[in-house]
Amino acid sequence: MKPAVEPPEQLPYPHARLAWGTVAILMVAYVFSFIDRQILNLLVAPVRRDLDITDTQMSYLLGLSFALFYTVCGIPIGRLADVKSRRGIIAVGIVFWSLMTTGCGMARTYLSFLLFRIGVGVGEATLSPSAYSLIADSFPKETRATAISVYSMGIYIGSGLAFLLGGLIIKFASAHGDVVLPLIGAVRPWQLVFIGLGGVGLVFSLMILAIREPVRHGIGAGVEVPLKQAAAWLMSNRRTVLHHNIGLGMVSFAAYGGAAWIPSFFIRNHGWDAPTTGIVYGAITAVFGSAGIVFGGRLADRMLKAGKVDAGLRVCLYGALFAMPCCAMFPLVDSGTMAAVWLMPAAFGLAMPFGVAPAAIQEIMPNALRSQASAVYLFLVNLIGLGLGPTAVALCTDYLFGNDLAVRYSLALALPAALVVASVLLFTGLPHYRASHERLKTWGLAPSH
């Protein structure tokens, strides 16, 4: 490998209007990905009924089937994004996951639905590693956390819209029943929403062509790093990577475990109907989740300007600590209205880490490894969070408590416990993160072997 040291601000960043335009397009792509990913959470009852499956089987559709392939495929895609067109990778990914989403709407059996959900995960694996790298090369480090947080608002806008849309679909179903489509025949309303979302995604994929690839910035820009050396760099920072990634994985465990089963909690424990649940929970997710993630990004940028090089990891810790008591309270209160009130700060705190966490990764990695490091981060965070969170809550409900109405106790047990583990890992990871920040200054100085 050639020495890869360059003045960090040698090349100009794109004009602010162009840079924020890129963020806006990528955020909308993220919105679509999360609608496709999360819409199933409010459709648990009709899908369980039509496919004749248990909560645990349903949890594989909600999380594990998607997460396993999303995470595994993300690593080679991230390596590709460090040297190839990130815009092209994202465009192909949107087309593929949209086709797979349409397939979910045509599924007639549990196995076929499972396979199409795997396909959605493979397609969506193209987005975030490439997007993080694009945004990092479009903004200087002083505003990078805010920019990535704005992109990451797509998580909460998309999830909120998914719940709202799911509620409206169920309301439509109760009034009209099955729908007959040309060439396809009769489909359930829940199938219709997947078919519609897939079609909209295919049209939106053309918008990605409006993104311009920015010049790659920072240490190691433009250098293709052999896989062995990339692995060696990650290993030299393994303490930071593991504390950061597993800590965020446990925050994600709480976030995804809650998102998968909170709608069912309101329906089962408080007697809400699905449309009401979708509107209330969707609004909480969109408003308080978006506010939390942008607040986290702004706070991290302000702390970074004040000289706190570990600002990103500190904000992740603050978010986990803030959300912990709220996640313990909302499942146990007697009133559905009070449960919704407690969910507001819980959503705010859980969202704070998810813009600053990927930004923190960008700050300790050379440019040539940013997408790969982001893919490793997404691998662990989604495997732990999306892969295990929904299933852990379902296993508690099915086997520990043995009662569908006990989903409230499953949430009250699993979510705060995950946040305790996350807080310990993030706190003990702070000195390792600072050490990695210093170590980056030496990257590329050692002679090649």
Side-chain angles (χ1 to χ4, degrees):
M1 180 182 70
K2 298 184 294 183
V5 178
E6 68 168 25
E9 306 300 332
Q10 183 179 23
L11 298 170
Y13 286 92
H15 188 277
R17 184 179 300 173
L18 182 62
W20 283 109
T22 295
V23 171
I25 294 172
L26 292 173
M27 185 190 73
V28 175
Y30 215 14
V31 167
F32 277 116
S33 78
F34 261 81
I35 293 176
D36 290 356
R37 189 183 310 186
Q38 298 288 83
I39 188 71
L40 192 56
N41 293 357
L42 199 66
L43 303 176
V44 168
V47 173
R48 271 192 63 182
R49 179 199 64 220
D50 290 346
L51 299 183
D52 191 23
I53 56 176
T54 66
D55 268 3
T56 300
Q57 288 175 299
M58 188 71 203
S59 74
Y60 300 148
L61 297 177
L62 292 168
L64 189 60
S65 64
F66 177 95
L68 185 61
F69 288 85
Y70 177 87
T71 54
V72 170
C73 293
I75 294 177
I77 291 170
R79 183 163 177 79
L80 196 64
D82 278 326
V83 294
K84 302 296 183 182
S85 168
R86 295 160 287 190
R87 181 184 70 170
I89 291 169
I90 292 171
V92 171
I94 293 175
V95 170
F96 186 79
W97 93 55
S98 297
L99 290 172
M100 294 297 102
T101 299
T102 301
C104 289
M106 297 182 181
R108 304 288 180 177
T109 66
Y110 178 67
L111 178 59
S112 61
F113 201 121
L114 190 71
L115 292 174
F116 283 122
R117 283 289 284 179
I118 289 171
V120 175
V122 172
E124 290 194 13
T126 63
L127 179 57
S128 280
S130 303
Y132 293 149
S133 179
L134 279 170
I135 295 170
D137 284 332
S138 299
F139 292 85
K141 65 180 181 180
E142 293 80 9
T143 55
R144 198 169 288 154
T146 297
I148 291 180
S149 294
V150 171
Y151 159 72
S152 300
M153 280 174 60
I155 298 171
Y156 300 98
I157 297 173
S159 297
L161 288 174
F163 293 124
L164 289 167
L165 183 60
L168 293 174
I169 289 297
I170 293 172
K171 188 174 183 178
F172 174 86
S174 64
H176 298 90
D178 292 356
V179 177
V180 178
L181 296 179
L183 303 178
I184 298 174
V187 295
R188 298 286 197 183
W190 65 262
Q191 293 176 301
L192 180 64
V193 72
F194 284 106
I195 294 170
L197 286 172
V200 172
L202 289 171
V203 174
F204 173 76
S205 66
L206 298 174
M207 283 295 298
I208 300 300
L209 301 178
I211 293 175
R212 295 183 187 177
E213 282 273 347
V215 174
R216 296 180 187 264
H217 287 266
I219 294 173
V223 176
E224 185 170 353
V225 181
L227 184 60
K228 183 178 179 181
Q229 287 181 303
W233 178 257
L234 290 175
M235 283 299 296
S236 70
N237 291 279
R238 62 188 177 278
R239 290 184 177 88
T240 300
V241 170
L242 290 174
H243 280 265
H244 176 284
N245 291 5
I246 297 177
L248 266 296
M250 295 311 295
V251 179
S252 182
F253 182 105
Y256 276 118
W261 294 108
I262 285 171
S264 296
F265 155 72
F266 279 114
I267 292 168
R268 295 176 187 178
N269 295 114
H270 294 292
W272 289 14
D273 59 26
T276 301
T277 300
I279 291 168
V280 173
Y281 187 43
I284 290 172
T285 300
V287 174
F288 289 90
S290 297
I293 202 166
V294 173
F295 174 80
R298 296 290 292 169
L299 178 60
D301 280 340
R302 181 169 294 186
M303 292 171 65
L304 188 63
K305 290 176 184 177
K308 297 285 188 183
V309 297
D310 59 1
L313 208 60
R314 284 184 180 273
V315 171
C316 295
L317 173 62
Y318 298 159
L321 290 172
F322 181 79
M324 195 186 304
C326 306
C327 288
M329 286 298 298
F330 84 79
L332 301 178
V333 296
D334 292 333
S335 161
T337 300
M338 286 306 300
V341 169
W342 275 104
L343 264 178
M344 295 174 188
F348 185 93
L350 285 173
M352 282 176 60
F354 289 108
V356 296
I361 288 288
Q362 309 301 307
E363 298 304 322
I364 61 169
M365 290 292 157
N367 183 290
L369 298 182
R370 281 177 176 170
S371 293
Q372 293 168 75
S374 295
V376 171
Y377 158 75
L378 291 166
F379 174 86
L380 288 170
V381 165
N382 285 286
L383 192 62
I384 295 169
L386 185 56
L388 301 180
T391 298
V393 175
L395 288 171
C396 288
T397 304
D398 281 345
Y399 298 105
L400 179 61
F401 300 111
N403 186 339
D404 282 359
L405 293 177
V407 67
R408 69 188 314 167
Y409 302 116
S410 301
L411 290 167
L413 174 65
L415 274 56
L419 292 173
V420 169
V421 176
S423 299
V424 172
L425 288 169
L426 293 170
F427 178 75
T428 55
L430 291 172
H432 300 304
Y433 184 88
R434 292 192 291 269
S436 291
H437 194 274
E438 288 298 309
R439 192 177 295 118
L440 178 61
K441 298 174 183 177
T442 69
W443 190 86
L445 293 178
S448 302
H449 294 287

